[in-house]
Amino acid sequence: MPAPPPAAPPPSATSAKTPLLELREVSRTHRSGVAEVHALRAVSLCVYPGELVAVMGPSGSGKSTLLTLAGGLDTASSGEVVIEGRDIAALSPKEMAALRRRSVGYVFQDYNLIPALTAAENIALPRELDGVSTRKARREAMAALAEMKLTEVASRFPDEMSGGQQQRVAIARALIGNRRLVLADEPTGALDSETGEAILALLRTRCQQGAAGVMVTHEPRHAAWADRVVFVRDGSIVDQTLHAGADSLLSGGTEAVQ
C-alpha cells in the first residue's frame, strides 16, 4: 500500500507562486421559501500548482458547495472565483465550457457518466468536444484506463460496470488531457481500501506534475495524502497543514493558517 506523503511545507514556501484556484470572499445563499440558507460564508482559499488540498467537515457543512463553485458548476452569490487568473463570472457560457473542458477535471460523487456511451467513449468525450480527433482521444482514453488498471471495461456501458469501476472511469475522465485543476468529491467512496489508496496516489502524482487538486473526503487517512486540510463548519473554513495530523482536525485541535 502506498505511504502518504510527508506534511506540507509552511505556507511561506508557496507564497511566491500564483494560485491556480482562488476563492475570494465567496458566499453562496439559497432560498428555502422565505428563509435564506447560507451554504458558504465569505470563504477565501488559494490552491497552488503542485498542491493537493483536502476538504473535510460534517454533512451539510458546505464541502460540496465549495467544490461546485470552484469548478464553475454553480454561481456564487457574492465574491470571486478565479481559475488560472481569470474571474469565471466574467466568462461567457462558451468560454466557461471551454475552460472546464481544457483545465478543470471534476470527479462527481455520483459518477455522472453518460449511460449511452462506453467507458472509453465517456473518457474520450471531453477531448473530442475540444477538437481532438476521435482516434487520438480514444487512444488517450485507453491509456487512462490502463493507468486505472481497467482496460477490460473499455467497451462496457455504465450499467454493465460495478460502482467501483464507474468511479475509476469517472476519475480517468477527470484526469485525461492536461487538466491543471482537479476537483474530486469523495473520489474513493465506492472503492475498496487498496484501490482507493492507489487512486489517491494517482491524484497526488498528478499534483506533483503541476496540477492543483481539491478533494472532499470524510476519511482522515485519505486527507493524510494532502498538503493541507480545509475544515468546513457551517459554511466557514479553517485552513491547516497536516503537521498535527488529520485526526486532530476532526477533534477540534486545529491550527489555522492565515
Side-chain angles (χ1 to χ4, degrees):
M1 182 179 295
S12 58
T14 59
S15 60
K17 293 183 180 179
T18 300
L20 201 149
L21 169 68
E22 188 173 3
L23 276 60
R24 301 172 180 168
E25 297 289 315
V26 170
S27 296
R28 183 66 172 100
T29 302
H30 304 279
R31 287 202 170 273
S32 178
V34 296
E36 287 188 343
V37 178
H38 299 279
L40 280 188
R41 301 172 184 266
V43 165
S44 293
L45 174 69
C46 291
V47 185
Y48 297 88
E51 184 178 35
L52 178 61
V53 173
V55 180
M56 303 184 73
S59 178
S61 60
K63 304 184 302 295
S64 292
T65 298
L66 187 156
L67 211 63
T68 56
L69 291 171
L73 300 176
D74 192 10
T75 303
S77 301
S78 62
E80 297 178 337
V81 178
V82 180
I83 299 175
E84 295 183 322
R86 306 172 74 184
D87 180 356
I88 65 173
L91 301 179
S92 68
K94 183 177 180 179
E95 289 171 329
M96 188 65 237
L99 179 66
R100 281 197 296 263
R101 286 197 308 269
R102 297 168 185 170
S103 297
V104 183
Y106 202 108
V107 182
F108 296 88
Q109 195 169 7
D110 59 356
Y111 321 137
N112 207 33
L113 300 176
I114 298 174
L117 299 182
T118 66
E121 290 168 344
N122 264 284
I123 295 168
L125 182 61
R127 299 290 284 152
E128 293 185 63
L129 290 174
D130 205 34
V132 175
S133 70
T134 298
R135 178 175 293 184
K136 181 178 180 182
R138 298 294 169 85
R139 188 166 59 245
E140 291 179 0
M142 290 305 298
L145 282 168
E147 195 171 25
M148 294 287 166
K149 300 186 181 345
L150 210 60
T151 54
E152 73 277 7
V153 307
S155 60
R156 295 183 195 172
F157 294 95
D159 64 0
E160 298 172 332
M161 294 183 278
S162 68
Q165 289 171 334
Q166 290 183 61
Q167 181 74 309
R168 283 186 282 167
V169 169
I171 292 168
R173 182 181 59 185
L175 296 180
I176 194 172
N178 296 314
R179 267 80 172 272
R180 298 193 64 215
L181 176 61
V182 180
L183 306 172
D185 196 352
E186 297 284 1
T188 61
L191 304 177
D192 61 75
S193 178
E194 183 177 353
T195 304
E197 294 289 330
I199 294 302
L200 291 169
L202 189 60
L203 289 174
R204 179 67 180 181
T205 297
R206 179 57 64 94
C207 290
Q208 289 172 334
Q209 292 169 346
V214 183
M215 169 182 67
V216 167
T217 181
H218 66 278
E219 290 280 355
R221 63 191 177 88
H222 295 163
W225 284 85
D227 296 301
R228 288 189 288 139
V229 174
V230 171
F231 183 69
V232 183
R233 182 184 290 116
D234 296 328
S236 299
I237 66 172
V238 175
D239 198 355
Q240 152 177 330
T241 68
L242 285 183
H243 290 298
D247 287 320
S248 69
L249 185 67
L250 293 179
S251 65
T254 63
E255 177 184 352
V257 177
Q258 303 298 327

